Amino acid sequence: MARYTSLFTLETPAERFSVMLAEVLMICNFDIIYDTGDYLMAREVPGSVVFGKLVTVEALIDRNVTTATEVRLKLVIKNEELPLHTQNHCRDMFDHVNQAIADHRQWKLVEYASTPA
């Protein structure tokens, strides 16, 4: 199973962050399948890759660290594919989602960390 994690600290109003994050994931070709406000799960829209390579995103908004103007976000991006190569579909989607979050115009990236390649 391929599994990649990242941690973001973003400068943005916390009250609408979950909605904005869902919009970013939908732009990245994911359907939101579960959303509690603090936890969001999304699945890649089927059609472009075989079922076993479909990527799942789990996003946790850490409310213990989140303030009114800063949000701490933990992402886990995974699929059933064995990561036999450093460049695989899961890694490509991980890079795509991380770049979309880092570049989104509704917030400012303060800090970023991810698992090594």
Side-chain angles (χ1 to χ4, degrees):
M1 174 187 269
R3 179 184 175 102
Y4 303 95
T5 60
S6 55
L7 176 67
F8 291 90
T9 302
L10 303 164
E11 187 176 306
T12 185
E15 69 274 354
R16 281 199 21 89
F17 180 72
S18 180
V19 173
M20 292 186 293
L21 178 61
E23 291 170 0
V24 170
L25 291 175
M26 286 187 276
I27 290 168
C28 291
N29 202 31
F30 287 88
D31 282 332
I32 308 305
I33 56 176
Y34 190 73
D35 185 359
T36 66
D38 291 344
Y39 174 81
L40 189 136
M41 180 183 277
R43 180 79 181 222
E44 186 177 6
V45 175
S48 61
V49 294
V50 296
F51 185 76
K53 289 186 176 186
L54 289 175
V55 173
T56 301
V57 175
E58 293 183 44
L60 176 66
I61 301 167
D62 189 350
R63 296 291 180 190
N64 295 329
V65 183
T66 297
T67 66
T69 59
E70 269 191 6
V71 173
R72 173 79 52 94
L73 173 67
K74 297 177 184 177
L75 286 182
V76 176
I77 299 178
K78 60 187 177 180
N79 71 0
E80 297 299 320
E81 176 183 21
L82 291 174
L84 300 175
H85 305 285
T86 55
Q87 275 313 115
N88 56 62
H89 179 67
C90 190
R91 179 62 191 215
D92 292 343
M93 292 304 290
F94 173 76
D95 292 341
H96 180 63
V97 169
N98 284 338
Q99 193 65 51
I101 290 171
D103 293 343
H104 194 59
R105 68 187 187 292
Q106 294 293 333
W107 51 65
K108 179 182 172 192
L109 180 64
V110 176
E111 185 179 10
Y112 169 74
S114 72
T115 55

